[in-house]
Amino acid sequence: SLLSKNGQAEASRRWLQYLSDFLSQCSALYQDRGVDAGSTSNVLACSLSAMHANGIDSIAVEACVGSRGPAFLEDDREARVWGSSAQLSLRINDWRYSGPLEPGPVVRALCQGLPPSAAVLAACAAFLPVAPAQEGPQLPAWVLAGTCFALAIGSRAASRVWTWFSHRQQFFLTKSA
């Protein structure tokens, strides 16, 4: 493995930043005219530039692609398709994402799929939505629990008083008759 366990969070942060940089800087090279022999080298050069900018060892990546890339492509070719064959999807670590293939939603889905830890939260903080602050008056849980407890005790006491009163009333009605 190219990464130690301690370096995985940093590698994930670098990968996510590389992915964002690649999609924003390099996608213009092939979006308008498609990938052909002339533009493939430009896309590769742009990719290598984005790797170096984010501190990713491009030689190790190329070695991995050379040794394991064909196996990954074969796995993808033989994998059962989810949905129609025209539907585009992204597969990372045997996890399939088939939402919009734009940097923001992809990175948010990746961050939400990772187990929560301090390192993941720090790396993904910029990509995850911030919960809006609640406005207006709020009822603390202890007040709600206390009110429910008081109502339960009060209703039980009222029930006993009513039972006592009705028995007393019957006693006086039967005694005077």
Side-chain angles (χ1 to χ4, degrees):
S1 171
L2 297 173
L3 302 172
S4 67
K5 288 202 177 234
N6 295 335
Q8 287 179 348
E10 177 63 20
S12 295
R13 185 198 62 75
R14 287 181 183 181
W15 163 251
L16 294 173
Q17 188 59 49
Y18 161 76
L19 181 65
S20 178
D21 290 351
F22 177 80
L23 289 173
S24 66
Q25 297 168 8
C26 304
S27 62
L29 296 173
Y30 61 87
Q31 277 183 340
D32 294 333
R33 59 186 180 274
V35 176
D36 59 7
S39 67
T40 303
S41 61
N42 293 338
V43 173
L44 180 59
C46 185
S47 173
L48 292 173
S49 173
M51 281 188 220
H52 290 297
N54 289 291
I56 296 174
D57 183 4
S58 61
I59 294 171
V61 170
E62 288 182 22
C64 179
V65 168
S67 65
R68 298 176 65 196
F72 289 141
L73 291 174
E74 184 67 22
D75 287 347
D76 282 345
R77 186 181 66 83
E78 292 178 358
R80 194 179 109 229
V81 176
W82 296 358
S84 70
S85 60
Q87 181 181 7
L88 296 177
S89 61
L90 178 66
R91 180 175 160 191
I92 298 174
N93 293 337
D94 292 330
W95 178 78
R96 187 180 179 106
Y97 170 80
S98 58
L101 295 177
E102 297 165 359
V106 169
V107 172
R108 274 192 298 278
L110 286 171
C111 286
Q112 289 172 345
L114 295 173
S117 69
V120 168
L121 294 175
C124 292
F127 304 107
L128 293 175
V130 177
Q134 295 180 352
E135 297 178 11
Q138 297 179 14
L139 185 63
W142 66 270
V143 171
L144 181 60
T147 303
C148 289
F149 182 71
L151 287 173
I153 298 294
S155 66
R156 180 74 174 154
S159 172
R160 288 185 178 258
V161 167
W162 180 258
T163 303
W164 177 81
F165 180 73
S166 64
H167 286 301
R168 290 294 251 178
Q169 191 176 21
Q170 285 177 355
F171 176 75
F172 286 119
L173 291 176
T174 56
K175 194 172 185 181
S176 62

